[in-house]
Amino acid sequence: MKNIIEWKVPAVVVGMGIAGLFAALRFAQEGEVLVLGKGQLEDSNSQHAQGGIAVVWDFEDHISFHFEDTLIAGAGLCDPEAVRVLVEEGPERVSELIALGMEFDHCGDQLCLTVEGAHSHRRILHAGGDATGRKIVQTLSERVRQNPRIKIVENFLASDLIAANSKICGINGWLKDLTPVRIVSNRILLATGGFAGIFPETTNPLGATGDGIVMAWEAGAAISDLEFIQFHPTALSIPGQARFLISEAVRGEGAFLVDENGYRFMQEYHPKCELAPRDVVTRGILSHQRKTNGKPVFLDARHLGEEFLKKRFPGINEHLNKLGLNLGTDRIPVGPASHYTMGGIHTDTHGKTSIGGLYAAGECASAGIHGANRLASNSLLESLVFSYRAAESMLKYNSIQNSDMAENEHSWELPQQFEYEVLQKMAAENLGPVRDSENLKRISDIFREKLRGKYNLPAFALLPDTLAQRNLNALTGLTAILAESRKESRGGHFRTDIPAPDPKWKCRQKIQGTEILQVQLDN
Ligand code: SIN
């Protein structure tokens, strides 16, 4: 191993998605910050977000409607205070984004607003038709590059956090040339994304391995709500092809879900049909496929007109065209794919985790906004609102350097790891949109044993090519343990043996090490 390089910095943001970049810009108004990314700027998962950003923007809409819609989609497990912050502060953050140069699509002299599943009003702003995430990342990246107070290190693979006495002291990781780096800092914000990549059929890119969540868990932080995984109902479903996302906004504009005979089966499952919450649509598709011996289902947008669809969804159309399909003239085969992980590092509404000086925002965080099922397009808004708040908390945090850099000098061995393919199969068979008690028990038993040692390895014990595997092993295990523990069905967690919600389970589950704590909600 090369010699370890040490950098001392006042504050670190890990992650170059929307949450990380927006936080860095807010922090840089008052201080200097280092931004680390495992890829390159403009290369994060955020840039795949097609649909848009949900925000109250129209006089016919109201924050109380957005609040209610979020709570209903969350199936009783949202933290109402966190949701209140989201919907109330959202419009101001979006205005700031526009002031930074973001251009949303216009309809005449107004911003266009679309609708997606479980929204009672049109409130989704979009850009470039279906390129909202990419356009926001471009806007923020440009600003970050121009900012002399922000230093960027790309291709940095974070490996573990250094904490002592429940306070953060730094972070270790690897540069692209395999130089090990120790960054000493007592203010660290994790904005590292989710872990939907544990499933083989996913709308996420390869990097969605929940790195920050595992690092925080290993350092002793509380993690919550991992059992709630959102499956997007309409990922392109062609054998041998990646599960490319076909935005919910296509249904928002009026596309139907049909079977081979053109039957709109969602009317059997929910009064809102195709625009029911995502977990309902996902299970509706799976149930209809069971009834029809696994026959494919399709998204049918043809009645919306080829010209309109080409203009409104240029990215989706371009992708489909390469496969010989056209949104305007063909029915598109679709099916559920893992899309978003509601749980993550437990935070308060200021992005604070249970470790002093450690903050989390974006998909890797669990502030209680999404409950058991995220409302479509709330995540980009969450990224803005809560990364901004986390940056403000970091600015206020007492920055006296924590000199106790005591490291984990012990001799834990890494428990045997499952290979990526084995893990993905395990996740698909046991942790998908429909779960059952026997499988949950079996898989959680396997991992409960493995995770007991918390993988608490000395710094730099794992080389970069094994880090993703460690992360996915830990997250599959933690998800299995929390899913087995929750004896009910709710939102993104559905089990055939107990197919209904149970009021006794109106609680969030936190896990620290392998200890589970149930936190009752009184709303
Ligand atoms: C979509 O465009 O359907 C995805 C947007 C989201 O997940 O919120």
Side-chain angles (χ1 to χ4, degrees), residues 48-52 116 230 232-234 245-251 278 316 339-340 374-380:
H48 297 269
Q50 294 174 352
E116 289 182 17
Q230 184 168 79
H232 198 290
T234 56
L245 177 68
I246 313 286
S247 176
E248 187 152 325
V250 181
R251 278 173 282 139
R278 281 187 187 165
I316 296 173
H339 181 61
Y340 189 89
R374 176 179 64 100
L375 184 67
S377 286
N378 261 358
S379 44
L380 296 188

Side-chain angles (χ1 to χ4, degrees), residues 153-169:
V153 176
E154 297 172 316
N155 301 307
F156 180 92
L157 200 55
S159 62
D160 54 281
L161 294 167
I162 313 165
N165 306 323
S166 291
K167 293 212 172 86
I168 203 73
C169 319

Side-chain angles (χ1 to χ4, degrees), residues 333-405:
V334 290
S338 70
H339 181 61
Y340 189 89
T341 42
M342 266 71 80
I345 308 160
H346 194 82
T347 68
D348 68 6
T349 53
H350 297 277
K352 291 182 192 163
T353 71
S354 54
I355 296 181
L358 181 67
Y359 302 83
E363 191 175 348
C364 74
S366 171
I369 296 151
H370 308 306
N373 179 44
R374 176 179 64 100
L375 184 67
S377 286
N378 261 358
S379 44
L380 296 188
L381 191 67
E382 177 201 6
S383 289
L384 296 182
V385 170
F386 287 87
S387 67
Y388 186 94
R389 286 185 145 234
E392 296 205 316
S393 306
M394 277 171 93
L395 283 163
K396 287 186 204 132
Y397 184 69
N398 167 10
S399 66
I400 294 167
Q401 204 70 51
N402 189 353
S403 56
D404 186 359
M405 291 282 287

Side-chain angles (χ1 to χ4, degrees), residues 489-511:
S489 290
R490 194 186 284 270
H493 170 70
F494 182 86
R495 33 193 301 175
T496 50
D497 53 318
I498 325 172
D502 179 342
K504 282 207 297 289
W505 275 94
K506 201 163 181 296
C507 63
R508 297 177 65 195
Q509 296 195 99
K510 281 193 202 176
I511 189 162

